[in-house]
Amino acid sequence: GDSVTQMEGPVTLSEEAFLTINCTYTATGYPSLFWYVQYPGEGLQLLLKATKADDKGSNKGFEATYRKETTSFHLEKGSVQVSDSAVYFCALNSGGYQKVTFGTGTKLQVIP
Amino acid sequence: DAMVIQNPRYQVTQFGKPVTLSCSQTLNHNVMYWYQQKSSQAPKLLFHYYDKDFNNEADTPDNFQSRRPNTSFCFLDIRSPGLGDAAMYLCATSREGGNSDTQYFGPGTRLTVL
């Protein structure tokens, strides 16, 4: 079946540091890939997505590229801020509404 | 603003006492989902509706039921909550449920079972 593997957290970075959160997947067919973010006390919200190989999703300074050859969708940001502290979930959808698979989440803490 | 609203944000119930969580949406989306999220874990899909069509995940306990009386509202009923049902319950919507559709989440209801 489908699965998503994320790097374990928590990840602690100083403000303005470079961020990478690794995500790899296994899936049948041609999934769409997503990063969702969950701020403390809130629900998940879409950060970015990519729907086909080599697509790059980007939002709020975050980027991720859909790499079919390495089955990866790593999240990157060049300079993190304290306000980026949250839990980040990688997810895929390979076949419609019943097929969304989430990773276990990576908690990011950014310190001033 | 269009959004997904969940009430209450925090719910405390007693072991075995039925509880209902509610979700409403102003996005006019066809698909509504209920997820259970335990601490430090991924959201786990319990069931979803495509319009009025109900779809239950195979491993969702019978203790969990859902109702969708109209497009805007969806309810999660837990008939006899156990201690293991304490979790965050997330409601989400998507427009058509296609594989590139974004899911829009509510803020969640945190359920405590005493």
Side-chain angles (χ1 to χ4, degrees):
Chain A
D2 297 346
S3 68
V4 176
T5 303
Q6 289 182 237
M7 63 187 290
E8 289 195 17
V11 174
T12 302
L13 294 174
S14 297
E15 208 166 19
E16 300 184 2
F18 185 87
L19 169 71
T20 299
I21 300 178
N22 290 337
C23 172
T24 57
Y25 68 90
T26 58
T28 54
Y30 301 95
S32 293
L33 302 174
F34 305 81
W35 278 101
Y36 284 87
V37 58
Q38 186 174 30
Y39 297 103
E42 299 183 14
L44 281 70
Q45 57 184 273
L46 179 71
L47 181 59
L48 53 84
K49 69 179 181 182
T51 59
K52 61 183 188 296
D54 299 325
D55 270 3
K56 178 187 282 187
S58 61
N59 186 26
K60 300 181 182 179
F62 291 88
E63 293 183 340
T65 301
Y66 188 164
R67 301 283 188 204
K68 189 170 170 60
E69 64 276 12
T70 54
T71 61
S72 65
F73 194 53
H74 304 321
L75 182 68
E76 296 182 335
K77 186 175 185 183
S79 176
V80 294
Q81 305 300 313
V82 172
S83 56
D84 294 326
S85 298
V87 180
Y88 293 81
F89 290 92
C90 186
L92 68 84
N93 188 336
S94 66
Y97 41 76
Q98 71 276 34
K99 296 292 187 184
V100 177
T101 302
F102 286 90
T104 53
T106 302
K107 184 175 183 178
L108 170 65
Q109 183 178 11
V110 181
I111 55 178
Chain B
D1 289 350
M3 56 181 14
V4 181
I5 302 160
Q6 290 188 245
N7 286 304
R9 293 291 307 274
Y10 301 91
Q11 176 72 58
V12 180
T13 190
Q14 292 182 332
F15 183 94
K17 185 174 180 181
V19 66
T20 295
L21 310 181
S22 72
C23 176
S24 63
Q25 55 127 342
T26 59
L27 296 160
N28 204 32
H29 283 174
N30 280 320
V31 192
M32 294 188 78
Y33 311 79
W34 279 106
Y35 290 89
Q36 179 192 64
Q37 185 183 24
K38 295 190 175 181
S39 183
S40 303
Q41 295 183 20
K44 177 182 181 300
L45 183 64
L46 296 173
F47 18 62
H48 72 274
Y49 280 90
Y50 185 92
D51 195 13
K52 292 189 184 300
D53 291 336
F54 176 71
N55 296 271
N56 200 27
E57 291 300 296
D59 57 354
T60 299
D62 292 340
N63 197 25
F64 291 84
Q65 303 288 323
S66 184
R67 297 170 281 136
R68 188 179 185 185
N70 54 52
T71 300
S72 300
F73 285 87
C74 196
F75 299 97
L76 172 62
D77 300 309
I78 308 176
R79 292 192 296 189
S80 182
L83 298 179
D85 297 327
M88 177 76 86
Y89 290 88
L90 298 170
C91 175
T93 73
S94 68
R95 191 166 48 156
E96 290 292 332
N99 86 337
S100 64
D101 270 7
T102 298
Q103 293 197 4
Y104 294 83
F105 286 81
T109 295
R110 182 165 296 282
L111 177 68
T112 300
V113 182
L114 301 177

